[in-house]
Amino acid sequence: MLFLLGDDMKRSCPYCGGIHDAGAICPRKPKENRSGRHTSKAGDLRKKNSWKEKSIEIRKRDRYLCRTCLEKGILNTRKLSVHHIVPINEDEKLWLTDSNLITLCDKCHERAEVGMIERNYLKGLTSTKPKLSPRG
């Protein structure tokens, strides 16, 4: 998203959640390798079979629905991914912990990444089964 502050163009940053000059590169932006892909410890862990299996397990647990959309009464099955509530780079020990993983759609995932959805709220959702109706 771009903002005009005075004569300067600013943009919201998907990496740190802050506001930068439109042409600035955030220091939190992951580095790229020669193939143009981001390299990080988290990226390496996500390539492992244990992550692929856990990702499927979490999607099944969450009934292949975005959990935050579901809380609003929306059954969203589009563009889903499994989100690490506490990022791998903050606490690598939690990378396969069920209570640290939640299924989100791409829009909710972006909001969670920049802190627009609180971690405690997401953790609370992981401790309950998805309810497909208000009565459970």
Side-chain angles (χ1 to χ4, degrees):
M1 179 174 285
L2 289 173
F3 302 95
L4 183 58
L5 299 174
D7 293 331
D8 298 326
M9 292 295 288
K10 305 283 185 181
R11 67 175 175 81
S12 60
C13 178
Y15 306 108
C16 72
I19 304 293
H20 301 294
D21 291 332
I25 297 173
C26 180
R28 285 195 168 173
K29 181 179 178 180
K31 305 293 183 241
E32 294 181 355
N33 61 20
R34 289 183 187 185
S35 67
R37 296 182 185 211
H38 297 300
T39 58
S40 66
K41 177 73 170 179
D44 292 342
L45 291 174
R46 286 187 183 104
K47 293 175 189 172
K48 294 184 175 223
N49 281 335
S50 53
W51 167 248
K52 292 173 186 172
E53 291 167 4
K54 180 58 79 171
S55 176
I56 292 167
E57 179 185 321
I58 296 300
R59 290 169 200 253
K60 284 180 183 176
R61 178 199 71 190
D62 292 340
R63 297 184 172 187
Y64 296 93
L65 294 165
C66 173
R67 292 295 304 272
T68 56
C69 287
L70 183 61
E71 285 296 301
K72 299 174 196 168
I74 302 166
L75 298 177
N76 184 355
T77 61
R78 297 180 51 114
K79 298 183 179 178
L80 299 176
S81 60
V82 176
H83 171 66
H84 287 87
I85 298 168
V86 175
I88 295 170
N89 62 356
E90 284 184 30
D91 191 344
E92 188 179 316
K93 293 178 284 189
L94 297 175
W95 82 288
L96 292 178
T97 304
D98 289 1
S99 62
N100 190 50
L101 300 169
I102 190 165
T103 306
L104 298 175
C105 68
D106 62 340
K107 289 185 179 171
C108 290
H109 199 162
E110 286 177 28
R111 292 178 60 227
E113 287 288 331
V114 297
M116 293 175 67
I117 302 175
E118 290 188 25
R119 290 180 182 182
N120 287 338
Y121 174 74
L122 295 172
K123 281 197 173 284
L125 292 178
T126 68
S127 66
T128 60
K129 291 185 177 184
K131 296 178 183 148
L132 298 180
S133 70
R135 291 170 182 52

